[in-house]
Amino acid sequence: MGYVIPRKRRSGTRYTAMYYDANGKARSAGTYQDKREAERKWHAAETKVDEGRGDHLVRGRQTFQEYAENYWLPNLQVEAKTYEGYHCTLYAYLMDFFGSNKMLHIRANDVRRWLKELKDQGMKPSYRMHCKILLSTIMNSAVKDDVIVGNPCSKVTMGKVEPQPIPVITPEQFELFHTNLPDAQSRLLVETAIETGLRWGELTEIRPKDINFGPRLLTVSRAVVQVSPRFHPEGNRFLVKDKPKSGKSRRFKIAMSLCNKLLDFITEHEIGQNDLIFQYHEIPTKPKTKLSAPKGKTEPNEKGRTYSHGTLSAYTAGRCRCDHCRRAMADYRAKRRANGKDQPREPRTWDTDGHIPNRWFRDNVIKPTLKKAELKVDIRMHMLRHAHASWLLNGGADLQVVKERLGHSSITTTERYLGTLDNADETALDALESVRYRSSSAVSTPEPAPDHLHSNQEPTTPDEILKQMTKLQAKLATMFPQQKY
């Protein structure tokens, strides 16, 4: 049973409506100037409690930050890498806007203003959609926890986000890239990626025990992810999952040439059955190439001044970026760091248990290779997976086989790779032509009718008429010997 508490003030007496929640704890339903209004409010509040709709009056007063940090994040049941992504997005794009707002006061219009701010900041539509989905997930959880009555995100619509075209490299670009890789391991790793279509976490977790060299079968049953130590169960950098991204293992054949190269590499480097095939190792820095003596001067700058190449002035004031000027500035900075000046930053050390860090491989292998090969396309390791799928489908492979090979959970994902090559239209035209003209090529040229068959051509002379009648009488005599003609 609720009650009213009178509160005397200099301006007059005010009345606080009190009611009991579902746990029997006294709660306030607000303070009012009129006693009768206060009584109506606690009656209404207790009625909502009896109907199971009153909890949000109390729980909804907590802020978005309090609910996210005390209830949603601690009870989130996802993988470590997914948890890290949610955590980063939450504090980067949601907490500043909604953190101090009470859950009960967050409305659909607030969500619209937030999305408008993200758009004005230049965020891509696909990631804005990702942020909205994360906010909606938190709000749905709050609805289930009786913190709020409804999800404000359900009233906010966004335009359809068109999927971006999948970048696919050509076989010629891949061969140029593969040829310029620095060492045998990187060449074999990249070749394995293009031949199998494995994800980076699956590729760098391959061990000899996963390959059956007889029937040339590769089993993908694990994957490794790189996370911040604060999100790792044991505080490490790499976490090996017992299942790949799709949630189930898969097995498929690999080419004989790749199988032999993997076997030779394992034998040559004495890699054990449980060891990583592709392991992290530092690439020795190449000595600086000798440059010829600098000649001439720089182009005039905005003040019309020129400077000799290979000097600091040419680099700073002349803004020249030739090899000589860049070398002069690099040597100058190295000398200052060696003398303890400029507060030199310690060289980055890679925390790894033998797995190859994705960022290290891109900065130390891929980027130098692209520069050496003079390739204008920005090749990334996941692009090799795209190329594998596209080449298979454009080569005539079955869509379901490609889906199983790549480990896609839905065939719709695999269908995105259809028609990704530049010659896709030509392939389609060739297929149409082969089917369209198949029937005409299969029909043989009709043989001339035998002499004894009637011809549609009318005889033109008496001799031809007599000859035709003679053949007809001979045919009838053969068919009906009893008759006389």
Side-chain angles (χ1 to χ4, degrees):
M1 188 74 178
Y3 55 94
V4 175
I5 300 178
R7 301 183 183 277
K8 294 183 179 181
R9 300 287 187 271
R10 292 181 180 180
S11 58
T13 304
R14 293 172 63 84
Y15 303 91
T16 300
M18 302 296 295
Y19 73 100
Y20 292 95
D21 62 13
N23 297 322
K25 188 175 181 179
R27 301 287 186 182
S28 170
T31 302
Y32 308 92
Q33 293 182 350
D34 185 45
K35 183 177 180 180
R36 291 184 178 180
E37 184 178 3
E39 289 178 349
R40 287 196 298 270
K41 292 297 182 181
W42 73 254
H43 277 290
E46 284 198 345
T47 301
K48 289 183 178 180
V49 172
D50 294 338
E51 295 176 356
R53 297 186 293 111
D55 290 342
H56 70 276
L57 294 175
V58 176
R59 297 183 182 181
R61 292 174 182 172
Q62 62 183 309
T63 64
F64 178 85
Q65 183 173 357
E66 291 173 344
Y67 176 76
E69 293 180 341
N70 299 331
Y71 297 97
W72 186 72
L73 275 177
N75 300 315
L76 196 57
Q77 300 296 321
V78 292
E79 295 181 352
K81 189 66 176 179
T82 305
Y83 184 91
E84 181 183 19
Y86 286 169
H87 187 277
C88 294
T89 303
L90 174 65
Y91 283 94
Y93 301 110
L94 277 71
M95 200 63 76
D96 288 344
F97 191 92
F98 297 104
S100 60
N101 293 354
K102 292 184 178 181
M103 295 292 290
L104 195 62
H105 295 161
I106 298 178
R107 299 287 186 262
N109 190 51
D110 299 324
V111 179
R112 295 188 187 96
R113 288 193 299 107
W114 169 65
L115 292 173
K116 179 67 166 51
E117 285 190 8
L118 295 181
K119 182 179 180 180
D120 294 340
Q121 295 171 8
M123 182 181 290
K124 295 181 179 179
S126 57
Y127 201 77
R128 292 204 307 272
M129 178 64 74
H130 171 74
C131 293
K132 178 178 178 289
I133 291 175
L134 180 59
L135 177 62
S136 181
T137 302
I138 297 174
M139 290 301 182
N140 277 333
S141 177
V143 172
K144 295 178 182 179
D145 292 340
D146 293 326
V147 175
I148 54 178
V149 178
N151 183 355
C153 295
S154 61
K155 302 177 182 179
V156 178
T157 58
M158 291 184 62
K160 184 179 179 181
V161 179
E162 295 293 337
Q164 296 295 322
I166 299 177
V168 177
I169 60 174
T170 64
E172 294 77 17
Q173 291 172 334
F174 172 77
E175 290 300 329
L176 182 59
F177 171 71
H178 182 262
T179 305
N180 286 276
L181 288 167
D183 57 6
Q185 175 174 281
S186 60
R187 285 192 292 271
L188 182 59
L189 186 147
V190 168
E191 185 172 358
T192 305
I194 200 70
E195 289 278 346
T196 60
L198 295 179
R199 302 178 179 94
W200 176 258
E202 300 167 346
L203 180 66
T204 53
E205 177 53 24
I206 296 178
R207 304 172 190 262
K209 64 180 181 180
D210 299 322
I211 306 175
N212 190 339
F213 291 96
R216 311 194 314 274
L217 289 176
L218 172 62
T219 302
V220 183
S221 58
R222 301 176 311 282
V224 63
V225 293
Q226 185 175 350
V227 297
S228 174
R230 61 182 294 196
F231 300 108
H232 193 286
E234 300 175 1
N236 298 326
R237 175 67 70 176
F238 289 88
L239 177 63
V240 178
K241 303 187 299 181
D242 56 356
K243 290 183 180 180
K245 183 178 179 180
S246 60
K248 61 180 180 179
S249 302
R250 65 186 188 275
R251 179 183 297 177
F252 54 86
K253 271 198 170 187
I254 58 178
M256 177 67 75
S257 59
L258 177 62
C259 189
N260 293 335
K261 290 178 182 179
L262 288 170
L263 181 58
D264 293 341
F265 186 81
I266 293 171
T267 304
E268 179 183 353
H269 294 81
E270 299 180 352
I271 302 175
Q273 287 294 308
N274 295 319
D275 297 335
L276 294 171
I277 296 180
F278 306 112
Q279 302 179 17
Y280 167 78
H281 63 85
E282 284 289 351
I283 297 179
T285 57
K286 296 182 179 180
K288 294 182 179 179
T289 58
K290 293 183 178 180
L291 299 177
S292 59
K295 298 179 182 180
K297 292 189 176 183
T298 63
E299 295 292 332
N301 60 8
E302 60 274 7
K303 295 183 179 181
R305 297 176 181 175
T306 60
Y307 305 90
S308 299
H309 287 293
T311 62
L312 297 180
S313 298
Y315 185 91
T316 55
R319 300 185 180 278
C320 179
R321 296 298 182 265
C322 70
D323 292 339
H324 294 93
C325 296
R326 291 166 63 93
R327 177 70 59 83
M329 178 55 70
D331 292 342
Y332 170 75
R333 289 173 175 169
K335 184 178 180 180
R336 288 184 62 88
R337 288 194 296 268
N339 294 331
K341 299 179 180 180
D342 296 337
Q343 297 181 352
R345 184 177 60 182
E346 292 294 330
R348 179 173 183 176
T349 57
W350 295 90
D351 181 13
T352 174
D353 56 358
H355 289 92
I356 302 177
N358 192 356
R359 178 66 180 273
W360 173 88
F361 190 79
R362 174 163 177 79
D363 291 344
N364 295 273
V365 178
I366 295 182
K367 287 184 177 180
T369 302
L370 293 175
K371 183 178 180 180
K372 179 181 177 182
E374 298 181 354
L375 274 170
K376 296 182 179 180
V377 58
D378 185 16
I379 295 179
R380 300 174 182 269
M381 288 303 296
H382 202 74
M383 190 183 295
L384 302 183
R385 176 175 169 87
H386 296 329
H388 176 79
S390 300
W391 294 0
L392 286 179
L393 292 173
N394 283 275
D398 183 75
L399 189 64
Q400 183 66 28
V401 173
V402 177
K403 170 185 174 296
E404 298 297 331
R405 189 178 181 89
L406 294 177
H408 287 158
S409 57
S410 173
I411 200 168
T412 305
T413 306
T414 316
E415 289 175 347
R416 292 186 60 199
Y417 294 101
L418 290 171
T420 50
L421 288 183
D422 293 337
N423 64 342
D425 287 341
E426 295 179 5
T427 305
L429 292 175
D430 293 341
L432 175 63
E433 184 177 356
S434 64
V435 174
R436 177 183 177 186
Y437 297 107
R438 179 181 60 188
S439 58
S440 60
S441 60
V443 177
S444 59
T445 304
E447 298 180 358
D451 294 341
H452 60 270
L453 294 181
H454 176 70
S455 175
N456 291 331
Q457 184 177 2
E458 294 294 332
T460 57
T461 62
D463 292 339
E464 290 178 353
I465 297 175
L466 181 61
K467 184 178 180 181
Q468 186 171 345
M469 292 180 61
T470 303
K471 291 180 179 180
L472 180 59
Q473 289 179 353
K475 179 62 178 177
L476 292 173
T478 304
M479 296 175 62
F480 308 98
Q482 293 84 3
Q483 299 291 337
K484 292 184 180 179
Y485 299 93

